Amino acid sequence: RNVSLIGAPTDIGAGARGASMGPEAMRVAGLAEALRARGVDVVDRGNLTGPSNPWQPPVAGYRHLDEVVAWNTAVHDAVYSELKTGRMPILLGGDHCLGLGSIAAVAHHCRDVGKKLRVLWLDAHADFNTSALTPSGNIHGMPVACLCGFGPQQLIEIGGHVPAISPKWVRQIGIRSVDEGERRFVHEQDLEVFDMRFIDEMGMRHTMELALATLDDNTHLHVSFDVDFLDPVMAPGVGTTVGGGPTYREAHLCMEMIHDTGRLASLDLMELNPALDVRNQTAEVALDLIESLFGKSTLMRK
Ligand code: ARG
Ligand code: MN
Ligand code: MN
Ligand code: MN
């Protein structure tokens, strides 16, 4: 399989500075080398460029909207062009507002080639806020809503089709922090959420069986991995930590079961914040998990 690494060094949608250093931290941890060791053909496209972070308060419910549009447009174009040439894009964030541009590109590509799309959103947060619902104005809390057509016109139209996706195509896993208004909207739009209560009761195995059910040969599987999905005990290097996340073991099983489908076709690795990390530990844990996602296992399995 052919992979292209795309760095998006910005924290334009976040509530803490530092996710802009995420791409380099993954390179330092040895992402390209680890994938090559798994037999993957890896090309590092380097970093996208965009506006710097002006660190302003929200305007009409959004922080840095123009800059967020610029970064997401760059991400859309880069991800879309990799897919067009038959390569698997791995977007190295950057904060999770960029999941919008990435998934808008994936949906755009799926429309072009007539594929179905399934999005796995691994996160502590639903990222389903709107300007009316957000407590912060930080657009990294809004990408899923924007993808579903709820957001400012300049953002929701980036992939050329509004809405870019249907909530029916999304499965959210690991959720444990949802804002008050956001919670109502999640239910109203019938978003399929496997929250921590569900994982506690049913286990990661059954959760993933459900989240991965009804994939077929014509399905493009996209994984949007917000590193704050992980329990902060092992992954402190994120801006919005929420305790009580999946353990190292649960997270590995999650990745292994995604690999086993053979359908993974694009990936976002988001919200890694080296400014808050401890000796690049969170980048190294993320790398371990990506190795599992690409098929690393102790024994040969059929
Ligand atoms: N729900 C909060 C907000 O909207 C936090 C969002 C965190 N999102 C993230 N991608 N880390 O401000
Ligand atoms: Mn997120
Ligand atoms: Mn097109
Ligand atoms: Mn999150």
Side-chain angles (χ1 to χ4, degrees):
R1 179 96 234 197
N2 300 325
V3 160
S4 295
L5 304 181
I6 303 165
T10 181
D11 44 24
I12 198 66
R17 298 293 314 270
S20 47
M21 299 186 283
E24 209 51 22
M26 287 311 301
R27 292 187 179 103
V28 170
L31 175 58
E33 296 77 5
L35 290 174
R36 283 185 194 119
R38 304 224 45 74
V40 179
D41 166 26
V42 183
V43 176
D44 187 341
R45 300 289 189 204
N47 286 342
L48 302 174
T49 56
S52 58
N53 193 328
W55 203 247
Q56 292 297 308
V59 176
Y62 302 110
R63 287 183 77 196
H64 314 143
L65 179 55
D66 292 342
E67 293 85 355
V68 167
V69 171
W71 274 104
N72 272 288
T73 302
V75 166
H76 168 277
D77 294 353
V79 169
Y80 182 68
S81 90
E82 294 304 329
L83 292 167
K84 207 145 106 177
T85 61
R87 302 185 64 89
M88 178 196 292
I90 298 184
L91 178 66
L92 305 176
D95 72 78
H96 217 175
C97 83
L98 304 175
L100 164 69
S102 178
I103 294 169
V106 170
H108 185 175
H109 173 74
C110 287
R111 282 195 303 280
D112 291 349
V113 300
K115 285 211 170 201
K116 291 194 263 182
L117 172 58
R118 171 75 48 89
V119 175
L120 297 187
W121 193 270
L122 311 181
D123 206 323
H125 310 91
D127 293 347
F128 206 62
N129 271 311
T130 64
S131 61
L133 302 175
T134 175
S136 65
N138 296 324
I139 300 180
H140 75 163
M142 311 183 190
V144 181
C146 289
L147 284 162
C148 295
F150 306 99
Q153 192 61 30
Q154 315 94 285
L155 265 187
I156 65 180
E157 70 188 11
I158 279 175
H161 191 277
V162 182
I165 67 170
S166 160
K168 292 187 176 63
W169 306 348
V170 180
R171 305 290 182 274
Q172 294 199 320
I173 300 162
I175 309 302
R176 55 196 182 276
S177 172
V178 182
D179 301 312
E180 198 51 44
E182 184 183 28
R183 177 200 321 262
R184 264 179 276 119
F185 198 42
V186 161
H187 289 292
E188 217 171 281
Q189 293 299 318
D190 217 12
L191 206 55
E192 199 161 331
V193 178
F194 300 97
D195 66 356
M196 287 312 301
R197 167 81 188 256
F198 189 95
I199 296 171
D200 289 342
E201 291 199 2
M202 308 307 285
M204 186 59 85
R205 177 181 172 157
H206 188 54
T207 300
M208 293 310 294
E209 282 170 352
L210 293 174
L212 296 167
T214 68
L215 298 178
D216 63 23
D217 290 353
N218 196 39
T219 307
H220 179 119
L221 179 59
H222 177 92
V223 173
S224 203
F225 175 24
D226 180 330
V227 177
D228 69 34
F229 166 70
L230 305 171
D231 194 285
V233 168
M234 65 166 147
V238 296
T240 46
T241 49
V242 191
T247 65
Y248 188 82
R249 303 266 23 109
E250 289 173 317
H252 270 284
L253 180 60
C254 169
M255 298 299 172
E256 288 159 352
M257 290 182 72
I258 296 168
H259 169 262
D260 289 350
T261 67
R263 303 256 61 89
L264 179 69
S266 45
L267 170 67
D268 309 321
L269 177 60
M270 311 307 283
E271 294 282 341
L272 175 63
N273 188 331
L276 302 171
D277 204 2
V278 179
R279 300 179 74 96
N280 221 28
Q281 161 190 341
T282 306
E284 285 168 10
V285 168
L287 176 58
D288 279 355
L289 290 166
I290 290 172
E291 290 184 291
S292 287
L293 188 57
F294 280 82
K296 187 174 184 180
S297 68
T298 310
L299 301 177
M300 281 189 285
R301 289 186 161 76
K302 64 174 211 76

